[in-house]
Amino acid sequence: MARHLITSAIPYINGIKHLGNLVGSQLPADLFARYQRGRGHEVLFLCATDEHGTPAELAAAKAGKPVAEYCEEMHDVQAKIADGFNLSFDHFGRSSSAQNHKLTQHFAGRLADQGLIREVTETQMYSHEDGRFLPDRYIEGTCPNCGFEEARGDQCDNCGKLLDPTDLIDPYSTVSGSKDLEERETKHLYLRQSEMRGKLADWIDSKKDWPILTTSIAQKWLNDGDGLQDRGITRDLDWGIAVKKGENDWPGMEGKVFYVWFDAPIEYIACSQEWVDAGKGTDWERWWRTDKGADDVTYTQFMGKDNVPFHTLSFPATIFGADEDWKLVDYIKSFNYLNYDGGQFSTSRGRGVFMDQALEILPADYWRWWLLANAPESSDSEFTWEQFQSIVNKDLADVLGNFVSRVTKFCRSKFGEAVPEGGDYGPAELALTDDIAARVKAYEKHMDAMEVRKSAAELRAIWTAGNEYLQTVAPWSTFKEDPDTAAIQIRLALNLIRLYAVLSKPFIPDASAQMLAAMHTDDDSWPDDVSAALHMFQSGHEFTVPDITFRKITDAERDEWQEKFAGKRT
C-alpha cells in the first residue's frame, strides 16, 4: 500500500470561487485522491482557506465585519460548497490557525538563523485618504508599455509586463479611488531566494516527469531578466501572522505581519497538524518529516499556472533554507485557465458561474464530469453553455444513464428484479470482457499519470463499449427466440453497472453511489481482475431499478442560464 500526500492550492477567503478556480486545483486533486483511495492506498488530502493579506481586510470592511469574524464565516461558506461538490478533503483548514502562526514563525526563525533573511529599507506607496500603505495590486493606473488603463501595480493584465506602482501613469488607490499617494520609506524582511538559485535549479532539472507547463514557468522565473530575485516576506498590515523569530520578537519589525504568500504554503503542513488536533488523524509528522517516516510518501500538489512560481521556487526555498527534515513536493500538476463563454472567469469582476450558483442549477456530478473531461491541461479551455449541454446530454444521459436504465428496466420486465439464471458467457461476452480489461489498464495508466482528460476519455470509452455490446447482441430481440441467451447477456450487463460505478467514482461519486445502491451492494473494490468483476453477481442477486441517473438539459434551460450569467454577479 502506497502513501499519497495530496494538496490543492488553497482558495482565497474573499468570496466564493468560480468554476475556473475549481477545475484548476481542488477538483483534479479530489479526482486523484479518490482514485488512489479506490486502489487501496493510504491518502491524506488537505486543503484550507487562505485568509491573510489586504484583500481579506478590504472584503471584511466592505461586509462591515471584523476581519476575523468575516474569515471564519467565509471559511464555513467555502467548506459547505466544497462538501456540495463532494471534495473529499481529509481536512479543510485555515491559514489563520494557531498551528500555522506557530509554524510560520518557526520557519522564519530558522531562515534567519541560516542567514537567508535580510532587512531592506524600501519605498512604498502610501495613501493618505486610506491611511495605509497599499500593496501593489491595490494600485491601478495606465500601463506605460501598452496604454491599458486598468493595469495593476504589480502587472499589466493586458500585455503581461511586470510593473512597480511607480511605473504607472496616473496611479490611484483601488480602495478609495484617491490619487493622493505618496512614496514613503518602510523596512521589510526579504527571503534571499537568489542565494538558493543553484540548488533550486538543480532540483527542478531533476523533475523530468513534471508537466512542461510547470517546469517552463519555473525556468522562466529562474532565468529571465536578472534571474531569481529575493522576495519580500513582510507587510505593513494589521491582519496576519505577527513577525517573530520562532517565539521571540523581531526588533524593528513591530506591528508588521508576514506576507500572505510566505505563510500560505506553510499552511499545507500546519493543516495536517490541525487534522490531528481535530481528532481526525494521528501523527501528522509521518507525512511531512523525512526523519519521522515521510520518505515513503509521494507528495503531489495541484494548482493553476499562476501559482506555480511560488510552489516551485518560494516555498521550496523556505523548505531548503530551513535545513530541517521537511518533505519536498514530488510532483506538481499545474493547469492552464478555463475561460468563460468568449471571455474570462473573474472573481474580482464577478464574471461567470460561481460554485454556489452551479449547485443551485444542477447536482455536482454534472459539473464534475464536464469540468474534468475538459480540464485545461495542455492549453486554456473554454466553458460554453452549448458544449456543456451537449456533453452532459451525450455522455451522462445517453451513454451512462441510458445504459443503467435500459438494462435494469428490461431485466425487471422479463426476468424480475434479480440477476437471471443462465449458462456461461459466450464469445461476445468474452470479447467484451477482454476489451474492457484492456481499457481499464489504459484508464489506470492515465489516472496514475494524472492525465485528466485522457482518463475521462477512456472512462467514456468503457461506458460506450457496454452500450455497443447491447446494441450488437440486442437482448430484447434475443429474448423472443432464446430467453436463456438473453439472460446471459443481461447478467453481464448488470455486472457492468457495478463495474461502471467503481470506475466512475473518482469522477461522479453521487452517481456511483446510486448505481451501487441500485445493485444492492456496497462492494466498491477495484477491478484488478475484470473477468472476476463481471462474474460477481450470480443468478438470484437482487437489484432495484434506480431513478433517472442523469437527466438531459433542455434548450430552454441552456438559453436561460446563458442569459442569466452573461453579466456581473450581484
Side-chain angles (χ1 to χ4, degrees), residues 181-398:
L181 308 180
E182 174 191 352
E183 294 184 46
R184 283 191 181 181
E185 283 192 348
T186 183
K187 184 182 293 185
H188 284 291
L189 301 179
Y190 273 62
L191 175 61
R192 300 176 66 186
Q193 296 183 147
S194 60
E195 296 294 313
M196 289 176 278
R197 185 189 181 284
K199 192 168 190 176
L200 289 167
D202 290 343
W203 177 66
I204 292 167
D205 286 342
S206 72
K207 304 300 182 181
K208 304 299 184 183
D209 62 334
W210 281 14
I212 293 175
L213 179 63
T214 301
T215 54
S216 63
I217 293 173
Q219 296 288 358
K220 179 180 176 65
W221 278 65
L222 274 171
N223 301 315
D224 276 13
D226 296 325
L228 185 63
Q229 299 294 301
D230 295 347
R231 187 169 189 87
I233 61 169
T234 56
R235 290 292 185 268
D236 291 294
L237 297 172
D238 296 324
W239 173 245
I241 297 176
V243 177
K244 289 187 175 184
K245 294 181 181 178
E247 298 179 355
N248 301 316
D249 291 336
W250 203 311
M253 293 293 122
E254 296 81 4
K256 298 180 188 291
V257 300
F258 286 109
Y259 178 38
V260 63
W261 261 113
F262 180 70
D263 80 76
I266 296 171
E267 167 60 17
Y268 294 138
I269 306 174
C271 185
S272 63
Q273 187 176 0
E274 295 173 46
W275 167 68
V276 171
D277 292 346
K280 299 177 183 178
T282 58
D283 193 7
W284 65 270
E285 289 183 308
R286 68 186 283 265
W287 292 95
W288 285 105
R289 299 279 305 204
T290 56
D291 59 335
K292 300 292 180 65
D295 274 335
D296 66 347
V297 170
T298 299
Y299 177 23
T300 308
Q301 296 175 343
F302 289 79
M303 69 197 65
K305 61 185 177 183
D306 53 329
N307 287 334
V308 168
F310 301 100
H311 290 80
T312 55
L313 301 173
S314 297
F315 186 38
T318 297
I319 298 295
F320 277 130
D323 195 27
E324 295 178 309
D325 296 303
W326 295 106
K327 173 71 180 175
L328 277 161
V329 65
D330 294 296
Y331 193 88
I332 297 180
K333 176 66 175 181
S334 57
F335 291 84
N336 289 283
Y337 294 140
L338 176 69
N339 294 318
Y340 175 74
D341 215 9
Q344 290 183 331
F345 280 95
S346 172
T347 299
S348 61
R349 304 182 193 282
R351 189 176 192 278
V353 184
F354 289 72
M355 290 172 66
D356 59 337
Q357 297 169 323
L359 292 175
E360 292 171 1
I361 294 173
L362 287 168
D365 279 356
Y366 293 73
W367 300 104
R368 287 178 64 103
W369 176 253
W370 188 92
L371 289 166
L372 291 168
N374 295 276
E377 289 179 290
S378 59
S379 62
D380 291 352
S381 58
E382 183 172 10
F383 176 92
T384 69
W385 289 103
E386 291 82 2
Q387 189 191 41
F388 178 65
Q389 177 195 29
S390 175
I391 288 178
V392 164
N393 289 356
K394 180 181 178 183
D395 293 353
L396 299 182
D398 287 343

Side-chain angles (χ1 to χ4, degrees), residues 418-446:
V419 176
E421 295 183 6
D424 295 334
Y425 290 156
E429 290 71 44
L430 296 177
L432 176 64
T433 300
D434 289 343
D435 179 40
I436 289 183
R439 291 193 178 280
V440 168
K441 292 300 180 186
Y443 178 61
E444 292 170 350
K445 180 180 178 181
H446 294 316

Side-chain angles (χ1 to χ4, degrees), residues 36-185:
Q36 293 297 346
R37 292 191 194 106
R39 298 303 304 274
H41 300 310
E42 186 180 5
V43 171
L44 180 59
F45 179 26
L46 302 172
C47 192
T49 40
D50 184 1
E51 300 187 11
H52 294 137
T54 301
E57 290 187 347
L58 297 179
K62 186 176 181 180
K65 297 177 179 179
V67 64
E69 179 184 331
Y70 171 82
C71 288
E72 182 176 2
E73 289 181 4
M74 286 307 303
H75 172 268
D76 292 344
V77 168
Q78 292 200 22
K80 183 177 180 181
I81 292 172
D83 286 341
F85 275 97
N86 283 310
L87 302 178
S88 58
F89 304 128
D90 289 292
H91 188 71
F92 188 63
R94 303 180 60 187
S95 69
S96 63
S97 68
Q99 293 89 339
N100 197 39
H101 276 243
K102 183 176 181 179
L103 192 58
T104 298
Q105 291 164 343
H106 166 81
F107 271 108
R110 287 290 305 177
L111 292 166
D113 291 343
Q114 302 297 317
L116 291 171
I117 290 180
R118 62 186 177 94
E119 293 187 5
V120 176
T121 299
E122 61 184 17
T123 300
Q124 292 187 357
M125 298 296 270
Y126 183 87
S127 170
H128 290 276
E129 185 165 333
D130 299 311
R132 65 189 301 161
F133 286 98
L134 292 176
D136 298 348
R137 63 183 299 115
Y138 281 85
I139 304 168
E140 290 188 358
T142 301
C143 176
N145 185 53
C146 70
F148 182 58
E149 294 182 352
E150 295 180 5
R152 296 197 312 263
D154 57 351
Q155 184 174 357
C156 176
D157 286 339
N158 186 56
C159 68
K161 184 175 179 61
L162 297 179
L163 300 168
D164 289 318
T166 52
D167 296 331
L168 295 173
I169 301 169
D170 294 327
Y172 59 89
S173 164
T174 61
V175 181
S176 62
S178 173
K179 293 186 177 181
D180 186 10
L181 308 180
E182 174 191 352
E183 294 184 46
R184 283 191 181 181
E185 283 192 348

Side-chain angles (χ1 to χ4, degrees), residues 463-484:
W463 298 342
T464 300
N467 279 273
E468 292 175 346
Y469 166 78
L470 280 187
Q471 290 299 110
T472 300
V473 301
W476 43 87
S477 298
T478 306
F479 181 82
K480 299 173 184 177
E481 304 294 334
D482 189 353
D484 289 342

